Amino acid sequence: GAVWLNYIVSKPIREVTKGVNQIRQFSFGDIKPVATTWIKEVAELAHSFNEMIGGLRFFETYVPHKLVHRLIEQGTDAHVESEERELTVMFTDIVGFTTMCEGMNASEVADFINDHLTILAEYVEAEGGTIDKYIGDALMAFWGAPEKMENSAIGACRAAKSMVTAIKEDNKRRVAAGKKPIGLRIGIHTGPLVVGNIGTPSRINYTVVGDTVNTTQRLESLGKEVDPEAEVIVLLSATTKSLLPDDFKMKPAGSFQVKGKEAEVEVFRLLE
């Protein structure tokens, strides 16, 4: 009887322990509900644990758990001090997004954006980048935080090249299915930024702020001036270009006066 009672009590506790370890790894989808028993205290533990998992799975949709996991691995607590670092920032944007969505209902527009951003996010994360935010059909990401990188420009430009290939392959499938191909602009710039927890006590983001972000967004927008008919165009600042090894092929795109800058910005086009 003692052995049987021990099994009845210990089994759900072992399941909770296993689940807690999976929570630590942010593997919410792999956690199985803890079976309840007739023992009141153990049943209450199982019920509370199962409700907690349901809440975590809900918040997983909105919380960048990969970023949180990376911060935890570095031994960072919830109060991340803001600091200045040299980072590389990327902005992407779909060309003529409003026109592309004509004739789509709300659900179709959402599916279109989600499918597109899923393609881009895969290559940001594969190259060690951090997705800062999604802005409608646009994506903003940065390299060099939370992990410090010796050369953040390389990862960003590798991700951009992979995006070019992926979008072109996706466009072939879209055209074959009778859909419009996607035109994409990408801007990349390297410079000093403030990175860390920024926001209010009730809502805070691990993000970057500074002039480098503004310059990157202007570079992305310049794509419509440099080559408005391009299927995918990637524009780099001279700063980012200077950090890349010779195996990255590029060509000068000219010098441009961008909003918020007194001096012209020298721009290069990254080639496949």
Side-chain angles (χ1 to χ4, degrees), residues 147-164:
E147 299 97 338
K148 292 184 177 180
M149 295 181 177
E150 185 176 341
N151 189 332
S152 60
I154 293 176
C157 291
R158 282 178 180 164
K161 291 182 69 173
S162 297
M163 289 176 183
V164 172

Side-chain angles (χ1 to χ4, degrees), residues 1 26 31-32 35 41 43 50 61-62 81 128 143 191 198 244 247 258:
F26 293 86
I31 301 174
K32 296 180 180 179
E41 289 77 5
N50 292 338
T61 306
Y62 303 98
E81 295 292 336
W143 280 257
I198 296 173
L244 297 176
D247 56 335
V258 299

